[in-house]
Amino acid sequence: MIDYNPKAWFTFIFRIHKADTVRKLFPMFIAIGCYSAVVALLELKVLHLSDIAEWKNIVFVHSVLGFVISLLLVFRTNTAYDRWWEGRRLWGTLVNNSRNLALKLNAMVPASNTASRDFFRIMIPNYAFALKNHLRNKYLPEELEQGPGMEIDEKKHVPNQIAGQIIAHVNDLYRKQQITGEQLIILNDELQAFTDVCGACERIRNTPIPFSYSVFIKKFIFFYVMTLPFGYVFTVGFLIIPIVVFIFYVLASLELIAEEIEDPFGFDANDLPTDTISANIRKHVAEIL
């Protein structure tokens, strides 16, 4: 995720960063600029279509379609941002849940039971790192701190395995009468929340925007921009070239931004800082336990 000062907005105009859509779309700018130049040359210098009054009425069609495409892009961007923000809320829940579980275990588990305290100090942050990599379809054992009796099968659901080991250890403490039944019930909400957060994140990752909807918007933008020179060249002349390029930049950038943030758990510049969040969980749990 990009760290920036939202108040220093003037510097954004001249700043080029990894997620800048200009670099991604630059080849298309060249192609569309050349296309617009050819259309303008044919209409103004070769075919003289400006003499046909009916041909100029195509501007009305673009006015109506421009309103429709703006509504579609607003809905598309809002939907993608909702997914990004829900992902951030879920990881905030994971942070709070990890701290709460560590605080309760610190109060309930006897200080003399250093083995159990060390186990929870290791395994609670391990869940955050395992979930982060699980959402990226990766398994990085070097990020997991090794604990006593910890066994992970990378071919299976790693976060579930870690959560299962944490729950099993808590129940083992209950069987050994180091925590009471009431304390076990109190811990249950935090233990269950791990799986709830994981399932909600998987829902976001595994449920993209419907294919037909995404394809329709791209086609709509393409054909809308490709037909712009035919209607506006009579009004602005060869200035239609930079105008069409700029309109394409605005419309296509909104679609690219929506594509980037609709899956907020990856490596894109605007994705959630799950690496930092996981490291903070490890730091805070270690301080508590």
Side-chain angles (χ1 to χ4, degrees), residues 34-44 226 228-230 233 240:
C34 294
Y35 167 80
S36 301
V38 171
V39 173
L41 184 65
L42 289 175
E43 290 196 13
L44 296 176
M226 289 296 101
L228 278 176
F230 293 99
V233 68
I240 193 64

Side-chain angles (χ1 to χ4, degrees), residues 122 125-126 128-130 132-133 136 138-147 150 152 154 158 162 267 275 278-279 282:
I122 292 172
N126 275 353
F129 280 93
K132 167 182 71 76
N133 293 319
R136 296 173 176 177
K138 292 182 177 294
Y139 174 67
L140 302 177
E142 63 273 13
E143 292 189 351
L144 302 179
E145 189 176 350
Q146 294 300 312
M150 175 179 167
I152 300 296
E154 62 179 282
V158 177
I162 295 178
F267 298 96
D275 293 286
S278 300
R282 176 166 286 167

Side-chain angles (χ1 to χ4, degrees), residues 144-194:
L144 302 179
E145 189 176 350
Q146 294 300 312
M150 175 179 167
E151 296 181 0
I152 300 296
D153 184 354
E154 62 179 282
K155 296 181 180 180
K156 297 180 180 180
H157 196 287
V158 177
N160 278 353
Q161 295 179 65
I162 295 178
Q165 293 180 33
I166 294 175
I167 294 174
H169 198 96
V170 170
N171 280 273
D172 187 56
L173 290 176
Y174 170 68
R175 284 191 296 268
K176 293 179 179 178
Q177 297 184 348
Q178 295 201 4
I179 61 174
T180 66
E182 291 78 6
Q183 290 174 330
L184 180 63
I185 294 174
I186 292 173
L187 292 173
N188 183 67
D189 289 339
E190 275 70 30
L191 297 173
Q192 180 179 339
F194 281 125

Side-chain angles (χ1 to χ4, degrees), residues 65-168:
L65 292 179
F67 175 73
V68 174
I69 200 172
S70 64
L71 292 179
L72 287 173
L73 287 175
V74 167
F75 175 77
R76 175 79 168 95
T77 305
N78 287 344
T79 302
Y81 181 77
D82 285 343
R83 294 163 61 90
W84 184 93
W85 182 244
E86 184 181 0
R88 182 61 187 91
R89 287 177 58 250
L90 290 169
W91 272 83
T93 300
L94 182 63
V95 171
N96 295 337
N97 177 71
S98 300
R99 292 172 179 170
N100 288 331
L101 180 59
L103 288 167
K104 292 178 180 180
L105 289 170
N106 183 56
M108 297 176 184
V109 178
S112 59
N113 190 350
T114 56
S116 292
R117 298 173 71 88
D118 287 341
F119 175 84
F120 292 119
R121 177 185 58 79
I122 292 172
M123 297 300 286
I124 293 175
N126 275 353
Y127 186 87
F129 280 93
L131 177 60
K132 167 182 71 76
N133 293 319
H134 171 70
L135 295 174
R136 296 173 176 177
N137 293 319
K138 292 182 177 294
Y139 174 67
L140 302 177
E142 63 273 13
E143 292 189 351
L144 302 179
E145 189 176 350
Q146 294 300 312
M150 175 179 167
E151 296 181 0
I152 300 296
D153 184 354
E154 62 179 282
K155 296 181 180 180
K156 297 180 180 180
H157 196 287
V158 177
N160 278 353
Q161 295 179 65
I162 295 178
Q165 293 180 33
I166 294 175
I167 294 174

